[in-house]
Structures are given as structure tokens and as C-alpha cells.
Amino acid sequence: MTDLELLEKYEPVLRFAKSERFFPMAVEPYLEQCSIFPSGPQGVMESFAHFNEPLATRIGRLQSEQHYLRFVNKPLNDFDAWVWWGALSVIGIAGGWFLAGSTGVEIVIAVSLIAALTIFMLASPIRLRFVPAAAAALFFIVLEIVPIWFFLGPSKYISIAVEYLILLPIYLIGLLYLSVRTMKFILDHVLPEGPGLVMDMLSQATEKIARESYFQYAEILKKEPEPLYYGRVLHEVDKQKDNWTILQYHFFYAFNDWRLAANGMNHHEGDWEMIAVYLKNDSPYAVLFSQHGAGNIEKWETVIKAIDKQGNSTTHPVVYVALGSHANYSKPEVIRSPSMYKPGRLQRLLFWTDGLIHYLFLLVNPNQKARQIALKEMQAQRTNFLAEDAFVYMRDEADHYVVSLPMEIASGDGYRVGFQGENLKERVLKSSSYIKRVMSDRKTSRPPVKIWRRVVLNPEPDWVQYKGLWGVKSLLDDESGPPGPKWDRPRKDQVGAQERIRWGKPLDWLAQLEKFTH
């Protein structure tokens, strides 16, 4: 059989969640809308090389990994807006000093700060939700504190007896009620947005960029309606002289909107995922799934396979793609945990802090049922509150989870691409049971075609050699775009990019995952 025939025989069926917005696509239309930027001195030096070549060709000729692509290039989007704000503020201060001295400078600084707050809020919808809610909470806190000054000194019009025997108890009762209501408001409307807001501020792939990326991808779909995978066939021989054939299926997505779609850990432009079917001595042995830079393995006997029209099992594994993150799973499942994504240390700390604050509120809550819940939690945890999952399963008096944790929703109840048979016999979950309806029913643009377009990476196109990032670079690595399918993200102690183990040493990757599962 030819490489293409082998890839077709075992090509996967991908099942997505209902509200998924991004699907496997060709890299060329993505690159047509990208700009490339240097991220280090070597990148700056290389930026002037091959300047007039198309980006799809040019990026493969760059030797350094110190580059990144940017998919959304509209003016005044977040980072660009701050550059303009800084430049105009400096010019305004100089002009203010020249025209009106210190008074002019003060006016310009005031206008500049108002502009900064406006830019900050407009840079992403989550900030428009958070800032007004935080301002309202602050107003009520001030309202609670201000009357204290009334009781600190004597009043000309009210006697001490009236002040302390009548007004003070009324104030204390009102203070208790208002404090509880304010804290409840903060827990319901401010704290849940906190982790997302912090990550949004550290990321160049904000919630606004996620929405803009969707609109750009929807336009690409009108011209490129076919979902696509990049196939690769490798032949290896192990120490036991067994012959292995590895069929790799690489998928490229324009954006990872995990945080927006399912309260996930991150956002970033560009997303590379893959699955691999391993044949041992020409017989199917296992399927390997990429998941957040790592992977998982499922032996062929237990893999869910597509069913043909006659009711027979085929050689097409069914893969469940997680909402937003595009991690691949062998069966439909929903994971609610902060520890599923190991690189996100800051994100996990934010979720734990959120849980601790919610717990303390339950502990001091005047509602007896809430306090009992907190006390039982204390007995169950036995003061082990420093554990990452200490508050994961804690519920409030209304039996709702108190912490809004990231979710991995590989439900399979949406778009399906690949072999078309008895599709209704494949297991799925209902994603709307796990996320808010406003997200499960959000607008999507799906490819009108449900059959794969296949591209074999033999010979390798120029873009495969690109060592830089396929999305904008952020302050945190896990908020930056990923490297391509061939290259790994450089570690701090490494010089230059190294080949991914799953690309260059597929049997070593298999051995790693088998060891991990045992």
C-alpha cells in the first residue's frame, strides 16, 4: 500500500463539542493573514532575510527559533493600543508643558489616565464585566465604612445614649447584612472572573483576540471549506526486530480559546495537535493522542471505532476533541480539575486562592447551613488546605460548586469529520449539561464538508522547518502560540529548538506513554 492509502485506511474520525469554533485547517490561508515578528536578537538579524518571499516559504528559511507569528493584526488591539497610548501621552505631556506649564501637564496626565482605563476595559470583554462589578463592590464597602466616623466623635444634635444604644445597634445589624450581601456579590460576580482577568492581562491572546480570530477563521472557511490533516508515515525497527509503521495525523487550528469556551487554562493563537496509529508487524497496536504538550495511549482493542452502514467495525478510530483546547481523547469525557494542565502553575494558584476565599466566606457566613458545610469540609480535609485540589468538590448551601474550575469537555456532540457510517451509534455526552447555555449555544461556523482533505508531508513543505511560534508571544509560555509539529518549545537551559520526540523518535514516545500508563 502507498503512504496515502495507509493513511486513508486508518484515518481518524474527529468528534467536537457542540460550541467548538475552530476546526482542522490548512496552514497557508492562516499564514496569508499573519505577520511575523522577532522575539530575540537573532530574530531581529534574520528579519531582513528573504523579505520579499511569501511567508509560507520564508518562515522555513529562518534558522532561529526567535520569531513568532501574529494572526490578528487589526490596529488598536491591546498591545498596539498601549504603544499608541504611551507615544501620545509623551507627546501630550511635552505639548502641555509648552502651552500651559505644570497645569497643562496635570491636565494631560488626567486625560491620559482616563484613556488608559478606557483602553484597559475595551481591550477585552472580561474587563468590561470585571471593572464595573469591582467598582460596585468597592462602593458598598466604602458605604459600610463611612458611618464609623460618625461614632468616633460626639454629635451636637444626638445624645450619647441615643447614639450608642439605638443608632449603633442599628448600624451593626445593617453592617452585618450589607457585608454579607457585598461579599456574596463579590463571590458571584467579581471573584469568578479573577483568574481569567489575571491571565487576560498577562496574555496577548485576550478574549477580544479570541473573538476576532473566530471572525477571521469564519471568513477563511468560506474559501477553504474542507477540514484537513497533514499525514506522515514512518517505518521503524525496534530492538526485538519488530517492524513498526507509524501513521501520524497532524491537525492545525487557528486558535485555542479554551479559557473563553470552557473556563480553561489558556488562550493562544495557532494550535498544533496530532494522533498516531501504530502498526506492529502490519497489525494495529495502539493509538496515541496528543494532550496539552503530553499525550495518552489507548490499545487498539479498546479504541472506539467508527461503524459502517452494515453495522461492522471499521479501522477508523473515533477521537473526541476537547472544547477550545483541542486535546484529543479516546472516549467522551468531561474533566473538572485545575491539575489537568501541568504547565499552568499561576493559573492553578489562582483557582486555589479562589477556593480558599469561598471557603472562608462559608465559614463566617451567618447562614447555619453554610457554616456546617465549611466545618464538615474542615473535618474531611483535616487541615490539608494547601493541597491543590482542596476545594475542588466543595459545594455551597444551594449544592453548587463554589469554585469555577477549568473544564475539559470532550463531549463529541457537535461537528463530526471523517468516515461516514452509523454515526448515531457513537457515544457522545451533552456539553450543555456542563457549561452555561450562553456558551453552549454560542455562534459557530462549521466546515460544510465532513470528509477529510489529505496532505502527505512527503516531501516536507518549507513551513515544517519553521522553529518559531505559530501565534503571538505572551509573558507566559503557556499563553504564547505553540511551536510547529516538528519542533519542541526550547527550555530555559537549552540553546536552539529541538525536535519533538513524537516527530523524530516515535518509538521512544510510545515507550514513554506505555510506561506512564503502567
Side-chain angles (χ1 to χ4, degrees), residues 81-107:
W82 288 113
V83 173
W84 281 101
W85 172 82
L88 293 175
S89 295
V90 171
I91 294 172
I93 290 172
W97 175 261
F98 179 77
L99 295 174
S102 59
T103 303
V105 171
E106 291 173 359
I107 293 173

Side-chain angles (χ1 to χ4, degrees), residues 366-387:
N367 184 308
Q368 184 177 359
K369 184 177 180 181
R371 292 200 308 274
Q372 289 297 322
I373 291 172
L375 292 172
K376 288 181 180 178
E377 188 73 17
M378 183 184 294
Q379 294 174 354
Q381 291 290 341
R382 297 188 183 279
T383 69
N384 189 26
F385 292 114
L386 295 179

Side-chain angles (χ1 to χ4, degrees), residues 465-491:
Q465 304 306 323
Y466 172 60
K467 301 180 179 68
L469 303 180
W470 281 77
V472 71
K473 183 177 177 64
S474 295
L475 294 175
L476 298 176
D477 284 346
D478 41 293
E479 287 285 324
S480 300
K486 184 174 183 177
W487 305 102
D488 221 336
R489 194 185 299 273
R491 299 185 182 90

Side-chain angles (χ1 to χ4, degrees), residues 251-288:
F251 312 106
F252 178 70
Y253 301 86
F255 200 89
N256 170 323
D257 68 338
W258 187 19
R259 188 164 63 241
L260 176 62
N263 196 43
M265 290 288 199
N266 60 6
H267 273 173
H268 56 77
E269 292 181 336
D271 197 14
W272 280 102
E273 300 290 346
M274 63 93 73
I275 76 152
V277 177
Y278 281 63
L279 308 180
K280 183 178 182 180
N281 299 321
D282 295 328
S283 297
Y285 176 77
V287 180
L288 275 61

Side-chain angles (χ1 to χ4, degrees), residues 213-242:
S213 296
Y214 163 66
F215 296 140
Q216 289 187 194
Y217 172 69
E219 289 300 314
I220 290 174
L221 266 184
K222 295 176 182 178
K223 300 177 182 178
E224 303 278 346
E226 296 175 301
L228 176 147
Y229 70 73
Y230 292 99
R232 192 165 172 257
V233 180
L234 297 92
H235 300 280
E236 302 276 340
V237 179
D238 63 17
K239 294 179 180 179
Q240 287 73 39
K241 306 300 181 182
D242 289 316

